[in-house]
Amino acid sequence: ASEAEEHDVVVIGGGPGGYVAAIKAAQEGLKTACVEKRGSLGGTCLNVGCIPSKSLLNNSHIYHQILHDVKNLGDVKLNLTQMMNAKEQSVSGLTKGIEYLFKKNGVDYVKGTGTITSEHEIKVGPLDGGGPQTLRAKNIIIATGSEATPFPGLEIDEKRIVTSTGAIALTQVPEKMVVIGGGIIGLEMGSVWSRLGSDVTVVEYLGAIGGPGMDAEMAKTMQRILQKQGMKFKLNTKVMGGDVGSDNIKINVESAKGGKSESIDADVVLVAIGRRPYTTGLGLENVGIEVDERGRIVIDQEYRTKIPHIRVIGDVTFGAMLAHKAEEEGIAAVEYIKKGYGHVNYRAIPSVMYTHPEAAWVGQTEQEVKATGEAYNIGSFPFSANSRAKTNLDTEGMVKFITDKETDRILGIHIIGPNAGEMIAEGVLAMEYGASSEDIGRTSHAHPTLSEAFKEAAMAAFSKPIHA
Ligand code: FAD
Ligand code: NAI
């Protein structure tokens, strides 16, 4: 073992939470190391999550659009190998970009598995198989992320029974795909393969798609749109198990309310029933740090475990499992270390589902507002009445504002539509500033843009839209 090296901050995990925390800490003048065992930086998000999935979503959308919507513009053939190459290129460009940022900011990038051995010590088992290295740290930030939740009885091989990791790397388009779980991964990856020609059936235990936190009206609208695109849905349906034969898989399902059972054939099964915190090999037991019943590391408001200089951010602890949420926490945790204060506004974290059209939302859903018993207004505007959407022949979806009836303050914004993921940024900013729908409705939006639908939905909440 080499001589223990002293750092102000050692971050364990180099995903969006960890790498952002490490760069921020170095920028604050703290001597910082980041330990990552994957062999590349960027975590789940850059390597097997956000980035590769968006590459496939973008290219499969272009393919599908030319094939189905604007056929008369020309013919198109799928080159799946090339599509996968484009994905690899995006991933490697971005992960190497973070290595560059580490160098630029003076973050020590330590490759290997980090195990906390005592309150100020981390042992790193290096990737190259050499002897372990010990890092000493005044502060430790844990950012070890999450992993796919397995489905009992269906063994993942990442070829035929896959998680999202296998689903972004299939070498041929499956004829039939069953997706277990109609949440964000199921709908995004289901969309990719459905657009490329698979017969996709999504089996969802609950009565609505979209996973937790989606507005019920939006979830219904999205389901209708995806059905029109060819995806099939079995809601209120329980997967009982599967029979994996040498050339066919049978997934056995039953109505969640009991009774009727059937089996669905598949070549590939995607298990997308959620993700769980990842702490294997981290050594929490060596220092007595607790996890809750769902495996999340327990922390206080300042991201501290019961050992105050060991903080935790991102997917491995509470809250939405989103890259930008992990990043905000990374910054805040470092600010607590350096300055003693930091802040994340959890009421204004956007969610985006990158289907086509996209779905994006921020704040409360209508069902949540209704449950509070407070009076509210709804203002909505369809893209079918927006000039740019009509020109682009891309008119599915709508913008919906939920506002406080008395004060007009915005409580939630929900969008289904082209570029919803970009458009929601205006809504997030509005909520950060405590805006009313009238603030947005009286703000000039360029013509002809999709964001005029955003303005008109705001107008609909406090007055009337012009074009509907
Ligand atoms: P992670 O990104 O999981 O990073 C943790 C890192 O820690 C990993 O690289 C791991 O190797 C490393 N590690 C773990 N233990 C150790 C150890 N003991 N020593 C050293 N290293 C260790 N979110 C979005 O916001 N937008 C999206 O579009 C989006 N798309 C997604 C698509 C898919 C298919 C998936 C699976 C997820 C997607 N997510 C998306 C979620 C997003 O990837 C996560 O919320 C985000 O990566 C969490 O960041 P993190 O830093 O907490 O953890
Ligand atoms: P999820 O929590 O979004 O959805 C899982 C779905 O599976 C839920 O609808 C749930 O009811 C259903 N389910 C659970 N058990 C089931 C069972 N036994 N049978 C049938 N259905 C079952 O989880 P998902 O899609 O796996 O994604 C994991 C995380 O990754 C999410 O928390 C999400 O935040 C993140 N992510 C974010 C993306 C984005 O921001 N665009 C993209 C992909 C993932």
Side-chain angles (χ1 to χ4, degrees), residues 10-13 35-37 110 112-126 132-137 140 142 144 278-287 310:
V10 171
V11 181
I12 308 178
V35 187
E36 170 56 61
K37 66 173 184 165
V110 183
T113 302
T115 304
I116 301 174
T117 46
S118 69
E119 292 193 2
H120 286 282
E121 256 177 3
I122 297 126
K123 191 182 82 192
V124 183
Q133 180 186 357
T134 301
L135 300 171
R136 276 194 64 77
I140 297 172
I142 297 172
T144 49
Y278 180 79
T279 52
T280 310
L282 184 57
L284 294 180
E285 62 290 352
N286 298 335
V287 282
I310 303 184

Side-chain angles (χ1 to χ4, degrees), residues 151 181 183-185 188 204-206 272-274 321-322 352 354:
F151 190 94
I184 303 217
I185 292 184
E188 287 188 354
E204 166 60 52
Y205 184 75
L206 299 176
I273 56 170
M321 288 186 169
L322 296 172
V352 181
Y354 298 84

Side-chain angles (χ1 to χ4, degrees), residues 13 16-17 36-38 43-44 49-50 54 114 143-145 315 321-324:
E36 170 56 61
K37 66 173 184 165
R38 186 185 292 272
T44 302
C50 329
K54 263 83 263 181
T144 49
D315 280 14
M321 288 186 169
L322 296 172
H324 44 281

Side-chain angles (χ1 to χ4, degrees), residues 219-334:
K220 265 203 200 114
T221 305
M222 187 47 100
Q223 187 186 341
R224 186 180 46 74
I225 294 171
L226 293 175
Q227 266 163 350
K228 254 180 32 192
Q229 293 173 11
M231 281 168 75
K232 296 177 188 144
F233 291 93
K234 288 199 173 294
L235 304 189
N236 296 310
T237 303
K238 233 177 2 194
V239 172
M240 307 305 290
D243 303 315
V244 184
S246 56
D247 50 24
N248 188 35
I249 305 166
K250 277 194 185 308
I251 293 296
N252 306 316
V253 302
E254 201 177 282
S255 160
K257 289 163 187 149
K260 218 175 125 237
S261 62
E262 62 175 312
S263 78
I264 315 170
D265 288 329
D267 306 301
V268 171
V269 177
L270 166 59
V271 176
I273 56 170
R275 293 179 61 82
R276 62 182 187 191
Y278 180 79
T279 52
T280 310
L282 184 57
L284 294 180
E285 62 290 352
N286 298 335
V287 282
I289 290 177
E290 295 159 14
V291 300
D292 75 356
E293 74 292 346
R294 286 164 61 185
R296 300 174 294 195
I297 303 179
V298 177
I299 51 168
D300 68 10
Q301 301 267 336
E302 300 182 11
Y303 309 101
R304 291 176 301 201
T305 61
K306 66 183 197 192
I307 302 166
H309 65 269
I310 303 184
R311 290 181 151 87
V312 189
I313 58 170
D315 280 14
V316 74
T317 187
F318 307 113
M321 288 186 169
L322 296 172
H324 44 281
K325 175 265 193 186
E327 293 184 23
E328 294 303 325
E329 291 182 342
I331 304 260
V334 169

